Amino acid sequence: MKNQIKGLNTICTHFGQLEDKEFKGAVSPLYMGTAYAFEDIDVKRYPRYFNTPNQVALAKKIAALEHAEAALIFGSGMAAISTSLLAFLRAGDHVVIQKIIYGGTYNLVVEEFEKFGISYSFTDGFSADDFEAKIQKNTKAIYIETPSNPLLNITDLEAIASISKKHGLVSMIDNTFASPVNQNPIDFGIDVVIHSATKYMGGHSDICAGAVASTEAYIKRILGLAKNFGGSLSDYTVWLLERSIKTMGIRVRAQNANAQHMAEYLYAHKDISAVYYPGLPSHPNHDVAEKQMKGFGGMLSFELNADLDASYFQKSLKLIKPAMSLAGVESTVLSPTLTSHSLLSAEERKRQGIADGLIRFSVGIEETEDLIADIEQALEKVRKEKEVAI
Ligand SMILES: *Cc1c(COP(=O)(O)O)cnc(C)c1O
């Protein structure tokens, strides 16, 4: 029966569930144990070995969601990213990395890789040619993120998988922004799919976790390093994450619809000079996004007209809160220049196309009429402020 389950929401609710044989409860029992009797000498159950009953069950759900053979759950997205990258790279190796990636991943690469003797190149753009141009004799992996943060750039999954295969490289993706609801990179030939489960999988801004999905062989290889690095997730949080994922399909689909609505509203607005959202036909890679995504996601970015004060605008919002993280059921905004990308030089931000007035918008599940009313009242305050200044 379980093997025949294919529908997204059915996988979310049922797959990889632990059965409560004793009391027939509707939810997975939670096993908090750190000590288990040996079943046989080969199975040593221990949270840091990633093989407690709850960890194993949730990993099955995540593997099913990503159309993968196997998965592992980590204590954070960065634990999943660092462990996965270092499982495939050793001293003397080189990795090609997408021009714009999550800030924490960027820091991992530029601050830590030299210590391990691993070299890297960032691409100049997002096309397959941009990636192929950086491949060297000792290149072992390609690392991408699509849609990217904060400008929602789209990288072509099929094209990256194809050049990775041609050059015998491992292709890896940070699939956090799309979530497994909107994008399954393995279907396009990508090898390793990584998530910050802190975002859409958790979805309620109360869980920090990570995950990686791939083939049995690659997961075994990542697990080897994962045991030594020790980035496992506590069983209580595993259990909470399982509960959160039950509603991921309906949450993310609602966020897709809201984000599309908000993107169209902002695009048509006289006070807004730019909107970045893969679901808009004006997005430069809208056709690629359409080919590889089932929904365009809940993240977008926009810029106010240059004469309007973007930081006063954010302070004037009442319902939509400025917040560092994203993907919760509540809508949040963030200024990349002041927060996530503040450590980059002004020049580097400019190179990446991040304007000072850029606002990243994580669209929640509220009614769009309330979100629009909030933006309208904030814009009115900002326009009044401008008149006073004149
Ligand atoms: C948040 C995030 C991460 C890091 O995840 P943590 O759970 O905070 O460690 C990685 N990639 C992307 C795209 C993210 O948004």
Side-chain angles (χ1 to χ4, degrees):
M1 167 61 195
K2 284 273 159 84
N3 289 335
Q4 290 161 17
I5 293 178
K6 291 219 173 66
L8 174 80
N9 279 323
T10 323
I11 296 173
C12 284
T13 25
H14 291 285
F15 207 88
Q17 175 114 357
L18 286 178
E19 211 177 316
D20 178 359
K21 292 204 176 83
E22 201 176 353
F23 301 107
K24 313 278 183 235
V27 302
S28 290
L30 165 56
Y31 297 103
M32 288 294 290
T34 57
Y36 290 86
F38 294 127
E39 287 167 33
D40 62 60
I41 207 68
D42 289 334
V43 182
K44 301 178 189 74
R45 256 184 227 291
Y46 188 59
R48 186 170 46 75
Y49 292 170
F50 294 72
N51 62 0
T52 62
N54 291 91
Q55 288 173 336
V56 170
L58 181 58
K60 280 189 186 148
K61 192 194 284 289
I62 291 173
L65 284 166
E66 277 298 6
H67 307 171
E69 288 173 11
L72 286 176
I73 302 143
F74 287 83
S76 69
M78 282 312 302
I81 291 167
S82 55
T83 309
S84 300
L85 273 167
L86 291 170
F88 293 97
L89 299 167
R90 57 163 63 227
D93 289 346
H94 172 264
V95 53
V96 177
I97 303 175
Q98 181 176 298
K99 176 184 178 179
I100 300 179
I101 49 166
Y102 175 72
T105 312
Y106 178 86
N107 291 342
L108 167 75
V109 170
V110 304
E111 290 173 11
E112 310 295 341
F113 273 23
E114 202 191 332
K115 289 177 204 160
F116 296 100
I118 299 164
S119 59
Y120 52 86
S121 305
F122 286 100
T123 59
D124 297 327
F126 299 86
S127 77
D129 288 347
D130 289 321
F131 280 85
E132 199 159 25
K134 299 289 176 179
I135 294 174
Q136 307 177 0
K137 265 209 200 90
N138 57 341
T139 304
K140 292 289 155 54
I142 287 188
Y143 186 92
I144 63 169
E145 191 178 313
T146 179
S148 75
N149 176 23
L151 290 176
L152 291 307
N153 302 94
I154 299 292
T155 305
D156 189 325
L157 297 175
E158 229 166 8
I160 296 300
S162 146
I163 60 165
S164 297
K165 288 199 169 72
K166 181 172 141 199
H167 295 272
L169 314 177
V170 178
S171 53
M172 311 175 83
I173 181 173
D174 182 335
N175 202 31
T176 302
F177 264 39
S179 91
V181 178
N182 290 326
Q183 185 166 272
N184 296 123
I186 286 171
D187 294 348
F188 296 88
I190 299 292
D191 297 314
V192 178
V193 180
I194 310 171
H195 283 277
S196 168
T198 311
K199 312 298 164 49
Y200 288 104
M201 288 192 182
H204 296 73
S205 309
D206 56 7
I207 286 174
C208 182
V212 56
S214 188
T215 59
E216 292 274 9
Y218 279 176
I219 289 297
K220 199 169 160 205
R221 182 161 169 172
I222 296 166
L223 174 62
L225 191 70
K227 287 177 180 172
N228 294 334
F229 277 5
S232 57
L233 184 65
S234 113
D235 277 301
Y236 180 63
T237 316
V238 168
W239 184 84
L240 276 178
L241 183 56
E242 186 202 323
R243 190 195 54 178
S244 297
I245 292 177
K246 289 188 185 208
T247 57
M248 179 173 66
I250 53 171
R251 278 190 279 108
V252 171
R253 284 171 178 168
Q255 285 166 302
N256 289 343
N258 275 2
Q260 183 75 38
H261 190 112
M262 296 309 291
E264 286 167 12
Y265 151 76
L266 290 164
Y267 189 74
H269 204 292
K270 63 176 178 17
D271 293 336
I272 308 297
S273 59
V275 181
Y276 305 89
Y277 185 62
L280 289 179
S282 60
H283 187 289
N285 275 335
H286 174 64
D287 54 336
V288 180
E290 205 151 43
K291 183 184 74 170
Q292 65 193 27
M293 300 182 81
K294 291 169 232 186
F296 298 114
M299 298 300 301
L300 61 93
S301 288
F302 61 95
E303 287 165 31
L304 300 193
N305 289 343
D307 58 345
L308 299 175
D309 183 341
S311 100
Y312 185 56
F313 168 76
Q314 288 181 69
K315 282 191 203 113
S316 306
L317 290 166
K318 289 176 177 159
L319 182 67
I320 305 167
K321 296 276 183 313
M324 189 68 186
S325 200
L326 60 106
V329 288
E330 62 286 319
S331 292
T332 58
V333 288
L334 167 147
S335 158
T337 301
L338 299 178
T339 56
S340 58
H341 294 69
S342 63
L343 293 179
L344 301 184
S345 64
E347 219 164 83
E348 176 62 19
R349 275 198 300 272
K350 198 166 169 213
R351 188 183 75 86
Q352 299 194 8
I354 300 168
D356 281 348
L358 186 76
I359 295 167
R360 192 188 73 186
F361 187 7
S362 170
V363 183
I365 62 167
E366 303 94 335
E367 303 301 330
T368 47
E369 68 203 58
D370 293 321
L371 299 176
I372 289 172
D374 195 28
I375 289 174
E376 286 299 332
Q377 68 80 25
L379 282 173
E380 193 167 342
K381 274 197 191 140
V382 173
R383 280 193 300 260
K384 278 208 181 111
E385 175 82 349
K386 191 184 97 184
E387 276 163 27
V388 171
I390 291 167

